[in-house]
Amino acid sequence: MATLLELSERYLEEAERLKQDIACRSRLLPELLPEEQKAMEHDLRLLRQMLRETREIGNTLRHYYEPSYWRNRKYIC
């Protein structure tokens, strides 16, 4: 079983992979046909939301036991 710190590292590593994927797809966007661009823009919006949430969870886990750290109510009971 992993500790919260180990889990936070995994989340933040995944966030970096998502960031790279977003950058790669964004570079391809101008080369696509208009209907393909719409589909890619939708995918990019979803990936950006995933990136934001993955970072939030990773940071919450990293600092979970620090009393002064503000915890996002979306991710704790």
mmCIF file of all heavy atoms in Angstrom, residues 8-33:
data_model
loop_
_atom_site.group_PDB
_atom_site.id
_atom_site.type_symbol
_atom_site.label_atom_id
_atom_site.label_comp_id
_atom_site.label_asym_id
_atom_site.label_seq_id
_atom_site.Cartn_x
_atom_site.Cartn_y
_atom_site.Cartn_z
ATOM 1 N N SER A 8 0.784 11.078 -4.186
ATOM 2 C CA SER A 8 0.853 12.437 -4.733
ATOM 3 C C SER A 8 1.889 12.512 -5.854
ATOM 4 O O SER A 8 1.663 13.173 -6.871
ATOM 5 C CB SER A 8 1.186 13.450 -3.636
ATOM 6 O OG SER A 8 2.542 13.393 -3.254
ATOM 7 N N GLU A 9 3.006 11.822 -5.688
ATOM 8 C CA GLU A 9 4.031 11.814 -6.730
ATOM 9 C C GLU A 9 3.496 11.189 -8.012
ATOM 10 O O GLU A 9 3.759 11.684 -9.108
ATOM 11 C CB GLU A 9 5.270 11.067 -6.235
ATOM 12 C CG GLU A 9 6.018 11.800 -5.143
ATOM 13 C CD GLU A 9 7.097 10.964 -4.491
ATOM 14 O OE1 GLU A 9 7.321 9.807 -4.922
ATOM 15 O OE2 GLU A 9 7.718 11.466 -3.545
ATOM 16 N N ARG A 10 2.725 10.131 -7.877
ATOM 17 C CA ARG A 10 2.143 9.484 -9.061
ATOM 18 C C ARG A 10 1.150 10.401 -9.759
ATOM 19 O O ARG A 10 1.115 10.486 -10.988
ATOM 20 C CB ARG A 10 1.474 8.172 -8.674
ATOM 21 C CG ARG A 10 2.463 7.121 -8.245
ATOM 22 C CD ARG A 10 1.778 5.842 -7.888
ATOM 23 N NE ARG A 10 2.704 4.923 -7.254
ATOM 24 C CZ ARG A 10 2.331 3.860 -6.579
ATOM 25 N NH1 ARG A 10 1.052 3.569 -6.465
ATOM 26 N NH2 ARG A 10 3.223 3.077 -6.028
ATOM 27 N N TYR A 11 0.331 11.081 -8.969
ATOM 28 C CA TYR A 11 -0.622 12.019 -9.560
ATOM 29 C C TYR A 11 0.105 13.143 -10.299
ATOM 30 O O TYR A 11 -0.278 13.521 -11.407
ATOM 31 C CB TYR A 11 -1.533 12.627 -8.481
ATOM 32 C CG TYR A 11 -2.790 11.839 -8.241
ATOM 33 C CD1 TYR A 11 -2.859 10.879 -7.242
ATOM 34 C CD2 TYR A 11 -3.922 12.051 -9.011
ATOM 35 C CE1 TYR A 11 -4.012 10.157 -7.006
ATOM 36 C CE2 TYR A 11 -5.086 11.332 -8.795
ATOM 37 C CZ TYR A 11 -5.125 10.395 -7.796
ATOM 38 O OH TYR A 11 -6.273 9.679 -7.578
ATOM 39 N N LEU A 12 1.159 13.678 -9.691
ATOM 40 C CA LEU A 12 1.872 14.787 -10.322
ATOM 41 C C LEU A 12 2.664 14.327 -11.550
ATOM 42 O O LEU A 12 2.811 15.080 -12.508
ATOM 43 C CB LEU A 12 2.752 15.491 -9.294
ATOM 44 C CG LEU A 12 1.950 16.159 -8.159
ATOM 45 C CD1 LEU A 12 2.876 16.723 -7.090
ATOM 46 C CD2 LEU A 12 1.007 17.214 -8.690
ATOM 47 N N GLU A 13 3.135 13.089 -11.543
ATOM 48 C CA GLU A 13 3.773 12.534 -12.742
ATOM 49 C C GLU A 13 2.750 12.406 -13.871
ATOM 50 O O GLU A 13 3.044 12.718 -15.030
ATOM 51 C CB GLU A 13 4.386 11.165 -12.445
ATOM 52 C CG GLU A 13 5.628 11.211 -11.593
ATOM 53 C CD GLU A 13 6.053 9.831 -11.109
ATOM 54 O OE1 GLU A 13 5.433 8.811 -11.518
ATOM 55 O OE2 GLU A 13 7.008 9.763 -10.319
ATOM 56 N N GLU A 14 1.560 11.937 -13.529
ATOM 57 C CA GLU A 14 0.499 11.817 -14.533
ATOM 58 C C GLU A 14 0.091 13.194 -15.048
ATOM 59 O O GLU A 14 -0.191 13.355 -16.239
ATOM 60 C CB GLU A 14 -0.705 11.082 -13.960
ATOM 61 C CG GLU A 14 -1.775 10.791 -14.987
ATOM 62 C CD GLU A 14 -1.280 9.952 -16.155
ATOM 63 O OE1 GLU A 14 -0.399 9.097 -15.972
ATOM 64 O OE2 GLU A 14 -1.783 10.174 -17.276
ATOM 65 N N ALA A 15 0.091 14.177 -14.181
ATOM 66 C CA ALA A 15 -0.226 15.543 -14.602
ATOM 67 C C ALA A 15 0.792 16.034 -15.633
ATOM 68 O O ALA A 15 0.430 16.699 -16.613
ATOM 69 C CB ALA A 15 -0.260 16.474 -13.398
ATOM 70 N N GLU A 16 2.037 15.689 -15.437
ATOM 71 C CA GLU A 16 3.073 16.093 -16.405
ATOM 72 C C GLU A 16 2.845 15.411 -17.750
ATOM 73 O O GLU A 16 3.006 16.029 -18.807
ATOM 74 C CB GLU A 16 4.459 15.757 -15.853
ATOM 75 C CG GLU A 16 5.594 16.288 -16.682
ATOM 76 C CD GLU A 16 5.571 17.793 -16.860
ATOM 77 O OE1 GLU A 16 5.188 18.517 -15.928
ATOM 78 O OE2 GLU A 16 5.933 18.258 -17.970
ATOM 79 N N ARG A 17 2.448 14.141 -17.733
ATOM 80 C CA ARG A 17 2.148 13.448 -18.989
ATOM 81 C C ARG A 17 0.948 14.086 -19.698
ATOM 82 O O ARG A 17 0.948 14.244 -20.920
ATOM 83 C CB ARG A 17 1.891 11.961 -18.729
ATOM 84 C CG ARG A 17 3.164 11.160 -18.538
ATOM 85 C CD ARG A 17 2.899 9.666 -18.591
ATOM 86 N NE ARG A 17 2.306 9.168 -17.354
ATOM 87 C CZ ARG A 17 3.000 8.798 -16.288
ATOM 88 N NH1 ARG A 17 4.312 8.883 -16.294
ATOM 89 N NH2 ARG A 17 2.391 8.341 -15.220
ATOM 90 N N LEU A 18 -0.062 14.446 -18.924
ATOM 91 C CA LEU A 18 -1.224 15.124 -19.512
ATOM 92 C C LEU A 18 -0.816 16.465 -20.125
ATOM 93 O O LEU A 18 -1.270 16.821 -21.210
ATOM 94 C CB LEU A 18 -2.303 15.346 -18.452
ATOM 95 C CG LEU A 18 -3.130 14.138 -18.050
ATOM 96 C CD1 LEU A 18 -3.940 14.451 -16.802
ATOM 97 C CD2 LEU A 18 -4.034 13.710 -19.193
ATOM 98 N N LYS A 19 0.032 17.189 -19.436
ATOM 99 C CA LYS A 19 0.501 18.491 -19.931
ATOM 100 C C LYS A 19 1.223 18.326 -21.272
ATOM 101 O O LYS A 19 1.009 19.101 -22.208
ATOM 102 C CB LYS A 19 1.427 19.119 -18.892
ATOM 103 C CG LYS A 19 1.946 20.473 -19.256
ATOM 104 C CD LYS A 19 2.850 21.001 -18.154
ATOM 105 C CE LYS A 19 3.548 22.258 -18.587
ATOM 106 N NZ LYS A 19 4.486 22.741 -17.563
ATOM 107 N N GLN A 20 2.064 17.307 -21.374
ATOM 108 C CA GLN A 20 2.789 17.056 -22.624
ATOM 109 C C GLN A 20 1.825 16.652 -23.740
ATOM 110 O O GLN A 20 1.988 17.076 -24.885
ATOM 111 C CB GLN A 20 3.844 15.975 -22.404
ATOM 112 C CG GLN A 20 4.976 16.420 -21.511
ATOM 113 C CD GLN A 20 5.894 15.276 -21.131
ATOM 114 O OE1 GLN A 20 5.689 14.129 -21.528
ATOM 115 N NE2 GLN A 20 6.907 15.583 -20.333
ATOM 116 N N ASP A 21 0.834 15.843 -23.417
ATOM 117 C CA ASP A 21 -0.157 15.424 -24.407
ATOM 118 C C ASP A 21 -0.956 16.626 -24.913
ATOM 119 O O ASP A 21 -1.214 16.750 -26.113
ATOM 120 C CB ASP A 21 -1.088 14.374 -23.802
ATOM 121 C CG ASP A 21 -1.976 13.715 -24.839
ATOM 122 O OD1 ASP A 21 -1.563 13.608 -26.016
ATOM 123 O OD2 ASP A 21 -3.090 13.297 -24.478
ATOM 124 N N ILE A 22 -1.324 17.516 -24.010
ATOM 125 C CA ILE A 22 -2.053 18.718 -24.397
ATOM 126 C C ILE A 22 -1.205 19.576 -25.330
ATOM 127 O O ILE A 22 -1.691 20.067 -26.354
ATOM 128 C CB ILE A 22 -2.484 19.522 -23.147
ATOM 129 C CG1 ILE A 22 -3.573 18.757 -22.396
ATOM 130 C CG2 ILE A 22 -2.942 20.925 -23.515
ATOM 131 C CD1 ILE A 22 -3.873 19.308 -21.004
ATOM 132 N N ALA A 23 0.058 19.742 -25.006
ATOM 133 C CA ALA A 23 0.948 20.543 -25.842
ATOM 134 C C ALA A 23 1.093 19.931 -27.234
ATOM 135 O O ALA A 23 1.050 20.646 -28.245
ATOM 136 C CB ALA A 23 2.316 20.679 -25.177
ATOM 137 N N CYS A 24 1.246 18.626 -27.299
ATOM 138 C CA CYS A 24 1.393 17.934 -28.580
ATOM 139 C C CYS A 24 0.140 18.098 -29.430
ATOM 140 O O CYS A 24 0.212 18.432 -30.618
ATOM 141 C CB CYS A 24 1.697 16.464 -28.326
ATOM 142 S SG CYS A 24 1.923 15.488 -29.819
ATOM 143 N N ARG A 25 -1.013 17.880 -28.820
ATOM 144 C CA ARG A 25 -2.270 17.998 -29.561
ATOM 145 C C ARG A 25 -2.530 19.446 -29.986
ATOM 146 O O ARG A 25 -3.082 19.690 -31.052
ATOM 147 C CB ARG A 25 -3.436 17.494 -28.718
ATOM 148 C CG ARG A 25 -3.431 15.996 -28.551
ATOM 149 C CD ARG A 25 -4.501 15.565 -27.567
ATOM 150 N NE ARG A 25 -4.438 14.149 -27.297
ATOM 151 C CZ ARG A 25 -5.387 13.296 -27.636
ATOM 152 N NH1 ARG A 25 -6.461 13.704 -28.249
ATOM 153 N NH2 ARG A 25 -5.254 12.023 -27.346
ATOM 154 N N SER A 26 -2.144 20.403 -29.154
ATOM 155 C CA SER A 26 -2.340 21.814 -29.491
ATOM 156 C C SER A 26 -1.514 22.213 -30.706
ATOM 157 O O SER A 26 -1.956 23.026 -31.523
ATOM 158 C CB SER A 26 -1.970 22.700 -28.301
ATOM 159 O OG SER A 26 -2.857 22.486 -27.234
ATOM 160 N N ARG A 27 -0.323 21.652 -30.828
ATOM 161 C CA ARG A 27 0.519 21.948 -31.993
ATOM 162 C C ARG A 27 -0.085 21.390 -33.282
ATOM 163 O O ARG A 27 0.099 21.956 -34.354
ATOM 164 C CB ARG A 27 1.921 21.376 -31.781
ATOM 165 C CG ARG A 27 2.778 22.197 -30.840
ATOM 166 C CD ARG A 27 4.226 21.748 -30.860
ATOM 167 N NE ARG A 27 4.401 20.363 -30.434
ATOM 168 C CZ ARG A 27 4.594 19.965 -29.192
ATOM 169 N NH1 ARG A 27 4.614 20.835 -28.216
ATOM 170 N NH2 ARG A 27 4.757 18.688 -28.908
ATOM 171 N N LEU A 28 -0.803 20.279 -33.171
ATOM 172 C CA LEU A 28 -1.419 19.653 -34.351
ATOM 173 C C LEU A 28 -2.704 20.352 -34.788
ATOM 174 O O LEU A 28 -3.130 20.199 -35.934
ATOM 175 C CB LEU A 28 -1.740 18.186 -34.060
ATOM 176 C CG LEU A 28 -0.565 17.262 -33.810
ATOM 177 C CD1 LEU A 28 -1.074 15.880 -33.427
ATOM 178 C CD2 LEU A 28 0.322 17.182 -35.029
ATOM 179 N N LEU A 29 -3.312 21.111 -33.907
ATOM 180 C CA LEU A 29 -4.627 21.702 -34.155
ATOM 181 C C LEU A 29 -4.720 22.512 -35.451
ATOM 182 O O LEU A 29 -5.661 22.318 -36.221
ATOM 183 C CB LEU A 29 -5.029 22.550 -32.945
ATOM 184 C CG LEU A 29 -6.472 22.992 -32.853
ATOM 185 C CD1 LEU A 29 -7.412 21.793 -32.812
ATOM 186 C CD2 LEU A 29 -6.671 23.847 -31.621
ATOM 187 N N PRO A 30 -3.771 23.396 -35.765
ATOM 188 C CA PRO A 30 -3.898 24.198 -36.996
ATOM 189 C C PRO A 30 -3.858 23.384 -38.288
ATOM 190 O O PRO A 30 -4.339 23.833 -39.327
ATOM 191 C CB PRO A 30 -2.713 25.157 -36.942
ATOM 192 C CG PRO A 30 -2.243 25.143 -35.544
ATOM 193 C CD PRO A 30 -2.623 23.816 -34.979
ATOM 194 N N GLU A 31 -3.302 22.190 -38.230
ATOM 195 C CA GLU A 31 -3.156 21.369 -39.424
ATOM 196 C C GLU A 31 -4.403 20.554 -39.750
ATOM 197 O O GLU A 31 -4.476 19.936 -40.813
ATOM 198 C CB GLU A 31 -1.969 20.416 -39.253
ATOM 199 C CG GLU A 31 -0.651 21.127 -39.000
ATOM 200 C CD GLU A 31 0.446 20.171 -38.598
ATOM 201 O OE1 GLU A 31 0.249 18.947 -38.681
ATOM 202 O OE2 GLU A 31 1.504 20.664 -38.176
ATOM 203 N N LEU A 32 -5.380 20.547 -38.853
ATOM 204 C CA LEU A 32 -6.562 19.712 -39.022
ATOM 205 C C LEU A 32 -7.650 20.414 -39.821
ATOM 206 O O LEU A 32 -7.687 21.636 -39.912
ATOM 207 C CB LEU A 32 -7.127 19.322 -37.652
ATOM 208 C CG LEU A 32 -6.192 18.533 -36.741
ATOM 209 C CD1 LEU A 32 -6.842 18.335 -35.384
ATOM 210 C CD2 LEU A 32 -5.824 17.206 -37.358
ATOM 211 N N LEU A 33 -8.543 19.600 -40.375
ATOM 212 C CA LEU A 33 -9.721 20.137 -41.048
ATOM 213 C C LEU A 33 -10.662 20.730 -40.002
ATOM 214 O O LEU A 33 -10.604 20.353 -38.834
ATOM 215 C CB LEU A 33 -10.427 19.017 -41.817
ATOM 216 C CG LEU A 33 -9.619 18.354 -42.938
ATOM 217 C CD1 LEU A 33 -10.370 17.145 -43.466
ATOM 218 C CD2 LEU A 33 -9.321 19.346 -44.043
#
